[in-house]
C-alpha cells in the first residue's frame, strides 16, 4: 500500500540511515519472509527487515552469529534439479503446468521464453514487467519467464523478489512456479516445507497482482491479467531426480501475508520511537550496536531459532530477563499476567501474587500437587 | 502443556537442572536394544552417508558411503545394514511362548479362542531423535519395493534379497512407532523428554546433546551452560564440538571437511580406473583406500558422540523403576512383532505405498485407543502424572471420612455403599458422573452422588467389584481413613466397532480396492550428481 | 428489474428439490448443507416421514444421544402413530426418559428387537455394532459434517442409499492422535464423512437450505460472509421483523449500554481494558454474568414473527464460552447474582441449540497467545449463530493485535482441499463488524 510520496521519501531516507552509510538494502528474501511468518508481532524483526538490514552480518557483529548455513551438497543438487526442470526451453515445466493447472488449454509447444537479463534489480524488474506486457499481447501462447524480478512495495520501499519462474497461460493468466529440492514421496511432501513454499509463493502472487493492476489500468476498460491463486510446486519424485508437480492453493497464505505486509507500514511508528541517530551498521562497535538493537523491543519465542538470524542474540536477552516465553509461547497460556520465571515461581511458592487471581491460585495448587506427588514417589 | 510441567520447566530454569516429569519409567527398555545412529547427505531424500549401529556400546559397527551419490555404494551400505539388523531381528523371531488370541471362526462366524505363538521378546531399535524415526521410515520405503535379480532379471540395480526384507522390517518399526506407548522403535530425545523437563523449550529439547546437558550436566557446570555449549561451541576448525544427532549433518562439516574428502575420494577412484598397469593400480588402490578411510573417520567422528549420548541416555532411563503397566504395553509390541514375522513368513507382499480405506481407519482407531490407554496407564502408574490429571479436574484423591452401607433395589439387593471422600481437589463432577479407582489392578467403578461442604467432600456410590453376595467381599469397599484416588477417565479401553473387510469397502469410500496389484518398484535414476 | 426475495418460497423450493432427489432420484446419496437455523431438523423429520409413509424402511444415524432423542421426539410429535425404534447402548440411562411416554416408540439395545419398525434411530457409534443380512433401503445421516469418515465407513454397509444433512460451518470432527499420514487421501479416516463421500462420489446431488429462520436480518449477512463465503444464505426475516425492547431503562453502565446497542442492532461488543489474563478472567466472567443479570432485570420482550411479544426469560438466554472451566466460572458468577436457570456451555455443546439472546465470552479475550483451537472457524461460528435476536460478546481489547501477531506457519498437506473460510480471517471479519457495536467499559 503506497504511502503519500513525501512521507514515503522521508521514511526511505530514515531507513537508509538505520542501515548505515553506503550499506545497500537487503532484499526481502525467503528467510525474511519465513521470519515474518514465524513472528509477525516482533518490532525488532519488523524494523530490521523493513530497513533491509543484513541480519546475518548484524548477528555476527553482536557476537551471536546465526547458525544458518547451507550444505554445498544441497545447493549443488538444488541448482542441478532446477536446471533439469527448466531444460529444453522449459518443456517439462510447461508440460507440468499444463497437466496440473490448465488441462483445457492447448498443450504448450514453442513457448516463448524471453530473455530477462538487465542491469540491477530495478532494471530486471522493468524488464520483467515489459515481458509480461508483451506476453499479454500474444494471446493463445505460452510464455515462460525464467527467474523474473518483481518488486513489492513494503512499507514505502520496494522489496525485490525473484520467483523461480512465472508462466503466462494462453488465456493470459499468470502462474507462479516454485521449484524445491525436497522430495514428493508417494504424492505427499513435508508439510512444513510445503507451507513455507506456499507462503513464499503468496508473496510473489501479491507482487504480480500489483503488476497486473498496472497493466489493467493501462489497458483502459480491458480486464487486468488474472494472477492464479493455485501455484505449481515442482519437486523431485520419490527417490529419483525426475520432476513431479503438485498444485497448491495459496489463497489463505495470500490473505495472511497481504495483511501482514500492510501492517508493516507500522515500521514508521517503530522508527519514530527510536532514539535519534540509531544505526544498525555492522561496522559499529558491538556495544553501540547492542544498544541500538536493544532500543527496539523484540518478542522472542523459540520458533525464531529456525527463522531469524538474530535469534541467538534475542534468546540470550530473553533468558537474562527470565521471560517465560523463552520456554515456548504455550507456556504463557495459563499464567495470565505473570511474565517472568521469578514472578511465577514466587507466586507458586506463595511469596507473591494475589491469591484471588485464578492464575496464582492454580499455580499454588499445581505446586502443592507436584510436591505431594514427588514426595509420594520418594517414599 | 499442563501447569505442573510448566512449573517444573520454570524450576529447571531457576535451579539450572532438569526436573523430573515422571517418577517411573513409562517405556519398555529391552536388555539388548539395537542402537542406530544414521547420517544422511544433504539435498537428497534417503541418501545415507553412514551410520553407527549395534547392540554393544563399546563396539559399534561403522558403515559409511564414501560417495553418497553412487548407487552401487549406497546399495552396498543398505546390504551391510541388513546384515546387521536382520540377524538381530531374527534372533527374537524363534523363541515363542503359547498364547491365546480371539479370532472369528470363518465357518461359524463366532468368536473363538485359538492358541497361537507369541514371540517371547521382541527387538528394539533406538535412534537419537525424532528425525531418526522419520529416516527409518524413509529407508524402509526406499527398500521394500526394490526388486531382486530373481524377481526381475532386468532390474538395473538388483537388490540382494535381504534388502527388500530390511525395508519391510524398517517400515514395520516405523509404523509401530506411530502407536502411542509403543516401544519397538524409540527416539532417545522423545523418551528423555517424557521423563524430564528442562529449562529450555521443547523445540530446543530436540537437540540430544543439549537435552542430556540439562539432565546430567558435567561437574561444576549448570545445565543451561552445558546445553549452550552443546548447541553452539565450535572448535578452531569451525566444527561443532557436539555434532548434531543427525541424520542431517552440520553444513559447516559438509562444506569444510566432507566435501573435500569426497572430492579426494572421487579423484582417487578416477585415478585408479585410469591406472595402466598392476603396479600403478596397487599404488592408486592404496590412495583410494586411504581416501575411503578418511571419510569413514569423518563419519565416525560425527556419529560417535551421538552414539555415546544415546547409551548415556539409556543409563539414565534405566535408573528409573519401570512403571507397573509398561510390561502390558510391551506385550502389545510383541504381538505386533509376531504378527509381522508371520506375514513375512507367509510370503505376503510388502506393505503398500498407501493404506486402503479400511486399513487406515483401523490404524486410526487402534492409535486412538492406545492413546487413551497410555494416558490412563501412565496416570495410574505414576503419582506425578496423576497430579496433572487431578489439577485438571479429571481425578481426585483424598481420605475416606464416612462409609454408609446401602443396597440396590430389586429382588436380589446388591451392596451399593455410599462413600464420602474429603478432598482438596476440584473434580469436574456432574450428575451421576462415573468414577473409577484401581482395586488390585482392576478398575472399580462408582458414581457421583453429591458434593458436600462446598465441594470439599464428595459422596460416591460404589457400583461393582464387591463380589456376588449381599455383603461386599472384604477389602472391596474403602474404609474410613483410607487414602483413595478416583479418576473420571476409564482405566481400560473398550474395543471399537469392527470395520468391514477391505473387499467390502462401501460405496461411500470408493468401494472395494480390487485385487492388490504388486506395487511397482521405484525407477532408479543414474548416479545422481545431476 | 429487481425480484423480491421471498424466503419461504426459496426454502420451499429447496426442500422440494431435496425430497424429490431423496425419494425419486437415482443417485445413491443426496447431500444437504444447512446453515445455522435453516430448518435442518425439520427437513430430517419431514424426509423421514415421507420415506416411511412411502413404505420405505428407514434407518437414521445421528451423532449424539441427545440428537437421537430429539429426533425421536420430533417424529412422534409430527406423527404419533408412526412406529419408531430407538436403538440405544447398554449403559445406564441410555436415552431420554421423555421417550418412555411415547406409545409407538420402542426402545431396545438390540437391533433385532426393532426389526420391522418404520424408522429406527440411533447414534453412529451404536449403529457401528449392528450387523444386518439385508441392508436398509434408505438412511438419513444427520450432522454428517460432524461425523468422521471412519465412522461412516463403519455404518455405510448398513444402507443402500442415504440423505446426508449437516452444517459445514460448525466444529469439525477431530482425532486425538496424529493422522497426517493419510492427509490428501480421499478416505482420510479423520476427515469429515461428507468430505470423503463427495471425494469418491462427486456426481451426487448437492443442495443447500438457503434461508436461516433463526438468525435475524442483522446477523445473517455477517455469519454468511464470514463463515459461508461460497455458499451464502439469507435470513428468513427482514430488518425490523424482530425487535427486542426493555421495559426498564438503562442505568448508563457498560452492561446496560451494550444491551441497548445489541437490542437496536443485533450485535454488541462489551470491551474491557486490554490485559493478559488466565482463561477464567474474573473481570470478564463477572461482566458476562452482569450482562445476563441485567438482561433479566430489565424485563425484556422479544417480538418475532409470532403475533405477541414474548418476555425474555432465563430459558431464552444462553452463555457461550470456549472452555469448560470458563463455563463453570460463569455459572458460579451467575449463581452469585442469583441466576441459576440460564444455560452456560461451551461451543461444542451449544451446537444445534437456539436462544433469543446469547452472551459470548470471546475465545481470544485476554489471551497472551492465540492457538489453532481458539482460532477454529467452527467454534466462533457456533458462538455467533445461536441467537434469534441479539448476540453480546464480552472481550478484552487487543484481540486484533493478537490476531495480527499470530504466527502464520501452518503446514500445508498436499492434496487436501483448503477449508474455507480460514479461522484467522473469519475472526478478523467478526471483530471488524463487532467494532461498530463497541461499548468500552472499565468495571
Amino acid at each position: 500500500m503506497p504511502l503519500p510520496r513525501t512521507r514515503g521519501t522521508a521514511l526511505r531516507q530514515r531507513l537508509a540511515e538505520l542501515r548505515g552509510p553506503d550499506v545497500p538494502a537487503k532484499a526481502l528474501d525467503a528467510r525474511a519472509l519465513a521470519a515474518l511468518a514465524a513472528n509477525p508481532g516482533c518490532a525488532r524483526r519488523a524494523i530490521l527487515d523493513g530497513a533491509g538490514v543484513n541480519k546475518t552480518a548484524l548477528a555476527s557483529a553482536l557476537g551471536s552469529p546465526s547458525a544458518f548455513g547451507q550444505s554445498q551438497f544441497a545447493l549443488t543438487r538444488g541448482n542441478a534439479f532446477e536446471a533439469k526442470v527448466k531444460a529444453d526451453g522449459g518443456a517439462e515445466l510447461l508440460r507440468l503446468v499444463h497437466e496440473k493447472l490448465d488441462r483445457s488449454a492447448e498443450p504448450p509447444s514453442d513457448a516463448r521464453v524471453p530473455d530477462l537479463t538487465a542491469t540491477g534489480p530495478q532494471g530486471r524488474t522493468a524488464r520483467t514487467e515489459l515481458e509480461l506486457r508483451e506476453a499479454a499481447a500474444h494471446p493463445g501462447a505460452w510464455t515462460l519467464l525464467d527467474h523474473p524480478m518483481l518488486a513489492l512495495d513494503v512499507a514505502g520501499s520496494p522489496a525485490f523478489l525473484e520467483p523461480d519462474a512465472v508462466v503466462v497461460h494462453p488465456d493470459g493468466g499468470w502462474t507462479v512456479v516454485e521449484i524445491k529440492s525436497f522430495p514428493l514421496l508417494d504424492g505427499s511432501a513435508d508439510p512444513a516445507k510445503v507451507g513455507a513454499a506456499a507462503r513464499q509463493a503468496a508473496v510473489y502472487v501479491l507482487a504480480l497482482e500489483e503488476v497486473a493492476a498496472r497493466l489493467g489500468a493501462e489497458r483502459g476498460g480491458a480486464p487486468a491479467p488474472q494472477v492464479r491463486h493455485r501455484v505449481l510446486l515442482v519437486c523431485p519424485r520419490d527417490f529419483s531426480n525426475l520432476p513431479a508437480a503438485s498444485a497448491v492453493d495459496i489463497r489463505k497464505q495470500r490473505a495472511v501475508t497481504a495483511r501482514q505486509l500492510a501492517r508493516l507500514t507500522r515500521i514508521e511508528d517503530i522508527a519514530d520511537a527510536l532514539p535519534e541517530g540509531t544505526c544498525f551498521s555492522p561496522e559499529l562497535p558491538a556495544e553501540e550496536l547492542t544498544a541500538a538493537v536493544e532500543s527496539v523491543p523484540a518478542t522472542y519465542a523459540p520458533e525464531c531459532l529456525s527463522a531469524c538470524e538474530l535469534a541467538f542474540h534475542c534468546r540470550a536477552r530473553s533468558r537474562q530477563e527470565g521471560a517465560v516465553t523463552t520456554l515456548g509461547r504455550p507456556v504463557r497460556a495459563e499464567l495470565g499476567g505473570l511474565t517472568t520465571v521469578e514472578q511465577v515461581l514466587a507466586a507458586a511458592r506463595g511469596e507473591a501474587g494475589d491469591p484471588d487471581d485464578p492464575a496464582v491460585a492454580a499455580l499454588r495448587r499445581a505446586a502443592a500437587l507436584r510436591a505431594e506427588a514427588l514426595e509420594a514417589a520418594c517414599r | 502443556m499442563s501447569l505442573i510441567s510448566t512449573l517444573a520447566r520454570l524450576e529447571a530454569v531457576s535451579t539450572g537442572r532438569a526436573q523430573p516429569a515422571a517418577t517411573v519409567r513409562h517405556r519398555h527398555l529391552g536388555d539388548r536394544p539395537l542402537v542406530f545412529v544414521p547420517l544422511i547427505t544433504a539435498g537428497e531424500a534417503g541418501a545415507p552417508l553412514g551410520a553407527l549401529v549395534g547392540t554393544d556400546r563399546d563396539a559399534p559397527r561403522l558403515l559409511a558411503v564414501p560417495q553418497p551419490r553412487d548407487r552401487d555404494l549406497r546399495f552396498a551400505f543398505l546390504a551391510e545394514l541388513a546384515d546387521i539388523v536382520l540377524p538381530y531381528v531374527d534372533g527374537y523371531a524363534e523363541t515363542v511362548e503359547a498364547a491365546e488370541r480371539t479370532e472369528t471362526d470363518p465357518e461359524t462366524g463366532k468368536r473363538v479362542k485359538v492358541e497361537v505363538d507369541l514371540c517371547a521378546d521382541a527387538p528394539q531399535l533406538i535412534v537419537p531423535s525424532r528425525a531418526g524415526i522419520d529416516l527409518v521410515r524413509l529407508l524402509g520405503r526406499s527398500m521394500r519395493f526394490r526388486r531382486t535379480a530373481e524377481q526381475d532379471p532386468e532390474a538395473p540395480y538388483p537388490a540382494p534379497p535381504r534388502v527388500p526384507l530390511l525395508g519391510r522390517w524398517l517400515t514395520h518399526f516405523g509404523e509401530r512407532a506411530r502407536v502411542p506407548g509403543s516401544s519397538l522403535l524409540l527416539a532417545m530425545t522423545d523418551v528423555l523428554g517424557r521423563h524430564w523437563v528442562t529449562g529450555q523449550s521443547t523445540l530446543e529439547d530436540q537437540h540430544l546433546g543439549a537435552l542430556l546437558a540439562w539432565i546430567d550436566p558435567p561437574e561444576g557446570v549448570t545445565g543451561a551452560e552445558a546445553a549452550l555449549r552443546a548447541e553452539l561451541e565450535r572448535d578452531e576448525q569451525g566444527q561443532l564440538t557436539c555434532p548434531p544427532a543427525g541424520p542431517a549433518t552440520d553444513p559447516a562439516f559438509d562444506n569444510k571437511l566432507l566435501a573435500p574428502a569426497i572430492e579426494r575420494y572421487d579423484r582417487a577412484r578416477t585415478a585408479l580406473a585410469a591406472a595402466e598397469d598392476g603396479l600403478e593400480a596397487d599404488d592408486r588402490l592404496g590412495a583410494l583406500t586411504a581416501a575411503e578411510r578418511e571419510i569413514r573417520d569423518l563419519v565416525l567422528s560425527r556419529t560417535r558422540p551421538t552414539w555415546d549420548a544415546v547409551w548415556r541416555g539409556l543409563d539414565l532411563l534405566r535408573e528409573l523403576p519401570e512403571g507397573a503397566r509398561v510390561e502390558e504395553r510391551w506385550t502389545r509390541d510383541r504381538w505386533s512383532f509376531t504378527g509381522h514375522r508371520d506375514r513375512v513368513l507367509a510370503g505376503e507382499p510388502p506393505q503398500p505405498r498407501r493404506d486402503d480405506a479400511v486399513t487406515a481407519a483401523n490404524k486410526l482407531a487402534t492409535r486412538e485407543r492406545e492413546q487413551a490407554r497410555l494416558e490412563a496407564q501412565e496416570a495410574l502408574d505414576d503419582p506425578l502424572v496423576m497430579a496433572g490429571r487431578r489439577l485438571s479436574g479429571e481425578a481426585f484423591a483424598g481420605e475416606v471420612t464416612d462409609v454408609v452401607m446401602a443396597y440396590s433395589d430389586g429382588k436380589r439387593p446388591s451392596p451399593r455403599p455410599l462413600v464420602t471422600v474429603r478432598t482438596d481437589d476440584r473434580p469436574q463432577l456432574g450428575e451421576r458422573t462415573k468414577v473409577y479407582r484401581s482395586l488390585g489392578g482392576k478398575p472399580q467403578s462408582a458414581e457421583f452422588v453429591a458434593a458436600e461442604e462446598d465441594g470439599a467432600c464428595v459422596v460416591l456410590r460404589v457400583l461393582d467389584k464387591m463380589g456376588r453376595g449381599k455383603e461386599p467381599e472384604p477389602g472391596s469397599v474403602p474404609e474410613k481413613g483410607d487414602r483413595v484416588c478416583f479418576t473420571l477417565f476409564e482405566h481400560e479401553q473398550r474395543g471399537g466397532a469392527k470395520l468391514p473387510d477391505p473387499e467390502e469397502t462401501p460405496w461411500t469410500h470408493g468401494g472395494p480396492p480390487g485385487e492388490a496389484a504388486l506395487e511397482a518398484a521405484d525407477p532408479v535414476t543414474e548416479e545422481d550428481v545431476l | 428489474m429487481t425480484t423480491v426475495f421471498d424466503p419461504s418460497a426459496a426454502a420451499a423450493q429447496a426442500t422440494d428439490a431435496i425430497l424429490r432427489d431423496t425419494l425419486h432420484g437415482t443417485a445413491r446419496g443426496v447431500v444437504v448443507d444447512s446453515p445455522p437455523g435453516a430448518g435442518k431438523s425439520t427437513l430430517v423429520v419431514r424426509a423421514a416421514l415421507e420415506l416411511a409413509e412411502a413404505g420405505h424402511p428407514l434407518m437414521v444415524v445421528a451423532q449424539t444421544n441427545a440428537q437421537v432423542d430429539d429426533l425421536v421426539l420430533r417424529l412422534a410429535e409430527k406423527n404419533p402413530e408412526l412406529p419408531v425404534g430407538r436403538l440405544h447402548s447398554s449403559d445406564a440411562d441410555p436415552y431420554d426418559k421423555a421417550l418412555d411416554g411415547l406409545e409407538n416408540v420402542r426402545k431396545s439395545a438390540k437391533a433385532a428387537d426393532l426389526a420391522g419398525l418404520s424408522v429406527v434411530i440411533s447414534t453412529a457409534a451404536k449403529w457401528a455394532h449392528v450387523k444386518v443380512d439385508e441392508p436398509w433401503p434408505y438412511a438419513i445421516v444427520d450432522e454428517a459434517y460432524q461425523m468422521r469418515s471412519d465412522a461412516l465407513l463403519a455404518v455405510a454397509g448398513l444402507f443402500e442409499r442415504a440423505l446426508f444433512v449437516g452444517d459445514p460451518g460448525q466444529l469439525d470432527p477431530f482425532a486425538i492422535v496424529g493422522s497426517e499420514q493419510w492427509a490428501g487421501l480421499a478416505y482420510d479416516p479423520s476427515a469429515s464423512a461428507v468430505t470423503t463421500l463427495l471425494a469418491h462420489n462427486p456426481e451426487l446431488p448437492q443442495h443447500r437450505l438457503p434461508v436461516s429462520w433463526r438468525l435475524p436480518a442483522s446477523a445473517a449477512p455477517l455469519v454468511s460472509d464470514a463463515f459461508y463465503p461460497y455458499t451464502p444464505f439469507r435470513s428468513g426475516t427482514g430488518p425490523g421483523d424482530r425487535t427486542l425492547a426493555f421495559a426498564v431503562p438503562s442505568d448508563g453502565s457498560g452492561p446496560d449500554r451494550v444491551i441497548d446497542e445489541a437490542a437496536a442492532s443485533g450485535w454488541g461488543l462489551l470491551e474491557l481494558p486490554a490485559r493478559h489474563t488466565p482463561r477464567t478472567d474474573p473481570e470478564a466472567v463477572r461482566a458476562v454474568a452482569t450482562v445476563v443479570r441485567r438482561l433479566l432485570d430489565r424485563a425484556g420482550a422479544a417480538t418475532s414473527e409470532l403475533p405477541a411479544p414474548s418476555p425474555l426469560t432465563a430459558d431464552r438466554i444462553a452463555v457461550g464460552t470456549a472452555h469448560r472451566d470458563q463455563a463453570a466460572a460463569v455459572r458460579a458468577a451467575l449463581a452469585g447474582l442469583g441466576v441459576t436457570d440460564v444455560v452456560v456451555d461451551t461451543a461444542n455443546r451449544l451446537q444445534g441449540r437456539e436462544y433469543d439472546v446469547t452472551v459470548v465470552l470471546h475465545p481470544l479475550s485476554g489471551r497472551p497467545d492465540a492457538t489453532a483451537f481458539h482460532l477454529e472457524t467452527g467454534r466462533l461460528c457456533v458462538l455467533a449463530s445461536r441467537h434469534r435476536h441479539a448476540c453480546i460478546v464480552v472481550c478484552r481489547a487487543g484481540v486484533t493485535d493478537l490476531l495480527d501477531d499470530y504466527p502464520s506457519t501452518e503446514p500445508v498437506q498436499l492434496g487436501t482441499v483448503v477449508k474455507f473460510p480460514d479461522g484467522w480471517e473469519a475472526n478478523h471479519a467478526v471483530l471488524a463488524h463487532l467494532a461498530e457495536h463497541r461499548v468500552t467499559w472499565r468495571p
Side-chain angles (χ1 to χ4, degrees), chain C residues 170-396:
Chain C
Q170 303 221 347
L171 287 157
D172 287 331
F174 61 92
I176 60 166
V177 295
S179 55
E180 298 79 14
Q181 178 178 15
W182 304 292
L185 290 181
Y187 46 72
D188 175 354
S190 66
S192 102
V194 181
T195 306
T196 292
L197 176 76
L198 289 176
H200 285 289
N201 304 277
E203 74 293 343
L204 294 184
Q206 295 175 53
H207 297 272
R208 91 193 128 85
L209 297 174
V211 176
S212 172
W213 298 104
R214 173 194 309 149
L215 292 174
S218 58
L222 171 63
V223 174
S224 176
D225 289 352
F227 301 107
Y228 302 84
Y230 300 111
T231 50
F233 63 87
R234 306 272 294 259
S235 63
T237 50
D241 286 355
R242 298 232 175 111
T243 55
L244 186 60
F246 292 93
V248 178
S250 165
D251 62 8
S253 68
D256 272 16
R257 280 185 289 135
V258 81
I259 287 170
D260 288 342
E261 173 65 32
S265 72
W267 296 97
L269 170 65
L270 185 63
E271 191 176 78
L272 307 180
R275 197 178 142 195
H276 286 164
T277 66
R279 288 206 304 232
T280 51
D281 177 1
E283 265 182 18
V285 163
R286 257 197 311 276
V288 169
T290 310
V291 170
V292 173
R293 178 74 260 179
R294 291 299 297 165
L295 280 169
L296 292 168
D297 287 350
R298 290 182 60 192
T303 309
S304 296
E305 303 81 279
L306 299 167
S310 59
L312 183 66
T313 46
D315 62 323
R316 299 305 308 149
I317 301 173
V319 176
T321 66
H323 294 280
R324 285 170 65 180
D325 55 358
Q326 293 172 329
V330 171
R331 269 184 227 119
L334 279 172
L337 297 176
V339 181
T340 51
D341 38 7
V342 164
V343 167
V344 183
D345 235 322
T346 57
N348 302 53
R349 289 156 185 255
L350 289 176
Q351 291 194 91
R353 314 273 285 276
E354 175 175 302
Y355 302 90
D356 281 342
V357 179
T358 54
V359 184
V360 173
L361 177 56
H362 196 286
L364 292 167
S365 174
R367 285 196 67 85
D369 66 336
T371 71
F373 173 88
H374 299 97
L375 287 183
E376 196 177 341
T377 324
R379 183 156 284 104
L380 188 64
C381 180
V382 169
L383 293 172
S385 62
R386 300 301 99 202
H387 61 283
R388 288 172 60 83
H389 285 269
C391 175
I392 297 171
V393 177
V394 175
C395 188
R396 288 200 174 268

Side-chain angles (χ1 to χ4, degrees), chain B residues 271-272 274-285:
Chain B
L272 175 63
E276 291 182 347
D277 58 51
L279 205 62
E280 203 175 40
D282 275 355
D283 278 355
R284 293 185 181 179
L285 183 62

Side-chain angles (χ1 to χ4, degrees), chain A residues 155-169:
Chain A
S157 57
F160 293 100
L161 310 162
E162 192 179 346
D164 290 331
V166 169
V167 169
V168 183
H169 295 242

